[in-house]
Amino acid sequence: MSDAPLVKSLTNHLLDNPTFCFVRLDRSPSRELSTDYEFIDGFRRVRAGKSTCLVSHGYLVHKIDDLIDSSSNIGEPSIYDLFWSKPIPDNFINVISKYDKVVFVDEQIESSSIGSFILPRLLKANGRIEFEMICLAEEYMFENSGRDGLIKEAGITDEAIKKSIIQK
């Protein structure tokens, strides 16, 4: 979960609609992101942009948003926080299929990343869409250097994200 208001929305939803679900909470508090969303939709637009959109969740949404704030000449990408990933909301596919390019940024291995299970539906909605997945390699990592260390070691870097945004 990306921030405290989102956790509160989830808690209220589960109290009203008891069901089994998996929730991943970050260790550190995060600043509040966009509050203009309906929890039941399962996603929110954190930043409105033009032809490119970045899709992530949790911790990395903050890193991406901070990167865009601190960077110049990389364009104006949209950022979406997908907090309800299974099942993928149909409306989410409709929203992101309108972009020219979708970049999935995830701290999971590619075969279990958000892009791997969204991509088939996205391509069905828009077979000409350009996409990129920035995620962990399909390999066992022997040392746990902490979250930021693993993310950097895996190539999920500011440079990789910037490169995926800049239009060729």
Side-chain angles (χ1 to χ4, degrees), residues 38 40-44 80 82 87-99 121-122 125:
E38 293 293 325
I40 199 68
D41 289 341
F43 67 95
R44 62 181 164 180
Y80 285 89
L82 180 65
I88 296 295
D90 288 331
N91 188 34
F92 182 67
I93 300 299
N94 294 336
V95 167
I96 66 171
S97 68
K98 293 176 177 36
Y99 287 91
R121 292 187 51 203
L122 179 60

Side-chain angles (χ1 to χ4, degrees), residues 24 30 41 51 64 84 87 95 98 100 102 112 122-123 131-132 135 137 150-151 154 156:
R24 181 176 175 192
S30 301
D41 289 341
S51 62
I64 294 165
W84 200 275
V95 167
K98 293 176 177 36
D100 296 332
V102 177
S112 63
L122 179 60
L123 291 173
F131 67 90
E132 188 169 340
C135 54
L150 286 173
I151 288 170
I156 305 172

